[in-house]
Each structure stands twice: as C-alpha cells, then as structure tokens.
Amino acid sequence: MGINSLKKSSRLLQSRRYTHDSFTDAQEAFTSVLDINATEVYTDQILIPSSSLPFSGSSQSGSIYSSSGKQVMKYYYRAAMTKSDLVSGSASEVWFLLSPSGSNAGINAQLIDSNQQNNFISPKYSVPALTNANTEDATPGYGAKVFVSSATSSAGVVAGDQVSTNNYTFDYKNGTLQFTSNAVSATTSQYVYISTYQYIGRTLASNDTLGYSGSFSGSFFGNGAGITNISASSVVGLSLFSIATGSITASVNVTPSNLFLIKSGSTEYLNISSSSNTTLSSNLFIIKNFTTQQPVLTVSQSIVQIATQSFNPSGTTDAGSIWFTSSSMYIGLEN
C-alpha cells in the first residue's frame, strides 16, 4: 500500500519515522524528523517583549523596535497582501505578505517569491493575558489583524472591514494567509490588509557570521587556547599589586645591557647588566635602618648625607670603617 499521509504526519509529530503503512505507530523507530536550519533559530528571542508592545497605530507603520542595541522586530500596519494567482471561482483563498507588495494579478503559489516576508511573531510570545489581543488593540498583543476591503490602499480601510479570526489562518512562520473556505474568502476584486509584528533579530546563522557578545555564567574546561582579551582584573585570585608570595624563581633577560631591569614607561629605575654594573636612577636615594627606619645614607641630587652617631667611639673599631658624630669623624685603621 502507498503512503498514508495521515499516519505519516502523526508519526513525524511523535518523532517516529515512517517506513511501512502496515506498521503501527509503536513499531516505528524513534528518530529526529525535524529539519531546522540555523536561520530558523531566534537567538534574540529573549529581547522580544511579552507585554507593553511598543507600536499599534498607523503612524508607527514600519517602525523598528530595538533592545540592548539590537534590532528585534518590525511593525506592519495594514500592509497590503498579495494574492495567489490560483483563483477558485471568483475567490482568492491564499494571500502572501510581500515587501514591496506584488502584482494585482497575483503571484505563483508554487514558487517562493524573493520579496516574501516571513518570521512573524505570534501570540505565543506574549503573556497569557494578551493571548487574544491583536496588534491594533488599545493594549496590543501579537495576534495578526486582517481586513478584506474594496479600498485600493490602507487609507481607505475601515473598522467594519475586519475579518473574524474564524475565517482564516495566518502562518506566522512563512507569512501565508489562508481563508478557511471559499465562501468567506476575499473575492478577486477585493484586497487584503494585515497588521502584524515581524522578527528581524539575529538568528543562529547570523551569530555564526557576526560572533557572540554578552556574558554567561558556568564552567569552562580546556587548555584555554585561543582565548584573548581577558583583563587581569577578571581573573579571580590574581593580585595586581604584588608579584608573588613565598619564593620567586625567574630567568634574566638575554640582552647583556639589562639582565635585570625595573622601569616604568620609558623611565629606568634599576638596571643590572651582564658586566655586573648596577645603575640606580633616582633624584632621591635613601638607605634606612631596618629596625628603626632612620636614614643611614641619603643621596639627593649631588649631595650625600651620612647619618651621625650620638656618642664618640671608644676602644677599637673595624678597619676601614668611618664613624661620624655631630662634631667629629673617626676612621678605623688596622691594628
């Protein structure tokens, strides 16, 4: 027996594959049956407002709502739809939202027109209280509002032209409007207008091209290769004002002129070269007693100051030592 469309659709909705009509639903294998590409995944869904929708009037037609610096959705106010060129009697049962709108003669329903718009926002994105609200209500929701009119432009559409939601279905994903029967369809001499919101935010595909931004919380495992632009202040436990605690091991620079160099910007403060020469660059150099913190030797510009003792030495002193008091200087000689 050939394909049973009803059974196949039912199994696909259950995430089961369809092979033989003689099998029952329970006999078919579970598998992935949905083909969703990167352009169909809304990565800015969280930015779609669930209430307090920003637009609902004629002056706002074409307005774009942005959040966090990103364009999220566009508002259409009574946008003219384009009918299918396939006519049933004197009725046009299928209509498409094109931008710009298509020919009055209609478009081929078997082919997707390059101007056809899709990705419209349905009431599922709103709070429950707005489930039945349409985009033109005083407190607007995401329900599409549809009009059938003899007016050739939206300016001539009146409230009485609104169509009952029971008379049509609007596919928010691909922008196709279908009347439920030929009897309630727009005639070939009438026009259809719609007010609705369209998602224009990023998709997974655009993120693959443009990259991601923002923040996240969680754990990271790996060697960190390729991670860049992480500031030192972002690393937990890193002290920006000390080198380390405990012992320090380091390798000297291979440049002979500065094996060990301390500098700030272009100013060098301490430089030890491979010839053991030590250069200290400072307008003021002080050596203090470790315990009392009193200056022992001070060098300021070309003046050298050596600390004095408060009493004269007695007995012997170390050879080569120099001893200063407030009034005398003593030099230690060999015995």
Side-chain angles (χ1 to χ4, degrees), residues 131-215:
T131 298
N132 296 318
N134 66 54
T135 57
E136 291 189 24
D137 281 341
T139 302
Y142 287 117
K145 188 171 184 177
V146 177
F147 302 85
V148 172
S149 173
S150 58
T152 56
S153 71
S154 61
V157 175
V158 295
D161 294 331
Q162 182 180 352
V163 179
S164 168
T165 55
N166 298 322
N167 292 350
Y168 67 89
T169 60
F170 178 61
D171 190 324
Y172 288 87
K173 183 58 185 174
N174 60 44
T176 302
L177 185 143
Q178 298 167 293
F179 287 96
T180 55
S181 69
N182 184 273
V184 297
S185 297
T187 66
T188 53
S189 62
Q190 291 179 311
Y191 302 88
V192 175
Y193 300 90
I194 188 170
S195 294
T196 186
Y197 276 93
Q198 180 185 33
Y199 177 80
I200 59 171
R202 295 176 302 171
T203 64
L204 188 60
S206 56
N207 276 337
D208 287 341
T209 303
L210 303 175
Y212 296 84
S213 62
S215 61

Side-chain angles (χ1 to χ4, degrees), residues 16 21 35 38 55 70 88 95 127 132 140 142 153 161 176 207 261 265 287-288 293 307 317-318 333:
R16 293 179 183 270
D21 182 64
D35 180 11
F55 313 123
K70 301 178 181 65
S88 177
W95 295 72
V127 295
N132 296 318
Y142 287 117
S153 71
D161 294 331
T176 302
N207 276 337
L261 175 65
I287 297 178
K288 293 183 177 181
Q293 293 295 300
T317 60
D318 294 332
L333 303 175

